Amino acid sequence: MERGTRRARLDRDTRERFVSLRRQLGVSTFGMNQISLQPRQRGRIHCHERQEEVYLVLEGELTLLVEGEEMTLRQGELIRVAPALRRQLVNLGPRPLVMLALGGDGEHHGRDGEAFESLEDESGVAPQELPLPRDLPPS
């Protein structure tokens, strides 16, 4: 796993259907892709052996076919699709569709974080043990 940070930017005007944000960011523990479909475009019917996926619609409207069942997701909606289920992403709408696809395999190990009261602190505590900091004053 890489140390440090890396930045990327979504390209909402791209004509590429699939942009690997994982590679741009150097992410090694889950997949993250921008998927863009113009009106009437669709992706391949596919499934994954072990990976579950979450689709988040950023712009437009996604028609998602899962094992033949059709559902529609609008901007701001998300859906999780289990491994082994065949799915197809379709843009039946009149506007471009821009979405994020997040995929992972294996158990998530949550609550491994540490919270610090200040950047000078050398040891932290479980985040739920530290109260939230006061909000910044109005500017």
Side-chain angles (χ1 to χ4, degrees):
M1 187 176 308
E2 282 188 21
R3 293 183 55 81
T5 63
R6 263 208 223 173
R7 293 170 73 164
R9 178 182 295 274
L10 297 178
D11 182 357
R12 295 174 186 266
D13 298 320
T14 186
R15 289 293 189 175
E16 295 294 322
R17 291 186 190 198
F18 183 91
V19 177
S20 174
L21 299 171
R22 178 186 67 78
R23 286 189 194 93
Q24 289 181 33
L25 293 168
V27 172
S28 61
T29 58
F30 61 93
M32 182 166 48
N33 304 296
Q34 176 183 327
I35 297 175
S36 300
L37 296 175
Q38 296 302 312
R40 311 304 296 168
Q41 285 184 333
R42 58 188 175 164
R44 294 178 187 88
I45 298 169
H46 74 285
C47 68
H48 296 277
E49 188 175 320
R50 296 178 312 273
Q51 178 177 275
E52 63 183 346
E53 285 187 306
V54 172
Y55 300 121
L56 166 60
V57 177
L58 300 172
E59 292 179 15
E61 188 172 283
L62 167 65
T63 299
L64 178 63
L65 304 169
V66 178
E67 294 293 342
E69 181 184 341
E70 183 177 307
M71 56 197 85
T72 302
L73 283 88
R74 292 174 180 76
Q75 182 174 331
E77 292 186 303
L78 306 99
I79 191 168
R80 175 210 172 252
V81 181
L85 292 176
R86 292 175 295 173
R87 79 279 320 251
Q88 184 176 33
L89 310 171
V90 182
N91 183 359
L92 294 177
R95 301 179 331 177
L97 166 68
V98 179
M99 54 182 282
L100 286 180
L102 306 161
D105 170 17
E107 291 297 316
H108 171 71
H109 301 284
R111 301 282 183 179
D112 71 342
E114 281 186 285
F116 304 87
E117 202 163 331
S118 77
L119 291 173
E120 290 77 32
D121 290 349
E122 293 193 23
S123 63
V125 297
Q128 59 273 23
E129 294 177 21
L130 185 67
L132 289 171
R134 289 192 335 213
D135 292 338
L136 297 172
S139 56

